[in-house]
């Protein structure tokens, strides 16, 4: 029996390429899964035109609730 359910947390993944910087907001269990979600979309979708991860850099940070 599981007492606590792990909730997805909000993360901001920043995609950095040549001179562009784009932020994407995702819900995930941890930073690694947030980055993996963005990587899968970038590599599998032809719309973005990214063939390898050598062209981009990813940074990830958690969204914290302001008090």
């Amino acid at each position: 029996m599981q007492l606590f359910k792990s909730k997805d947390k909000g993360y901001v993944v920043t995609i950095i390429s040549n001179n562009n910087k784009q932020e994407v907001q995702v819900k995930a269990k941890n930073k690694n899964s947030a980055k993996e979600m963005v990587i899968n979309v970038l590599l599998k979708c032809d719309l973005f035109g990214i063939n390898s991860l050598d062209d981009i850099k990813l940074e990830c940070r958690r969204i914290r609730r302001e008090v």
Side-chain angles (χ1 to χ4, degrees), residues 4-59:
F4 298 104
K5 292 184 180 179
S6 63
K7 294 184 179 179
D8 289 344
K9 300 167 190 88
Y11 290 95
V12 173
V13 180
T14 306
I15 306 164
I16 303 169
S17 62
N18 297 335
N19 292 331
N20 294 334
K21 192 184 258 193
Q22 183 70 40
E23 292 184 342
V24 179
Q25 218 173 12
V26 295
K27 290 247 182 205
K29 296 205 182 282
N30 54 33
K31 284 185 179 183
N32 289 334
S33 64
K35 282 185 180 181
E36 283 297 319
M37 288 165 55
V38 173
I39 287 170
N40 287 336
V41 170
L42 289 175
L43 292 180
K44 293 180 181 177
C45 184
D46 294 333
L47 180 67
F48 299 111
I50 295 174
N51 296 327
S52 70
L53 294 178
D54 297 334
D55 302 337
I56 61 171
K57 180 181 175 186
L58 295 178
E59 294 179 354

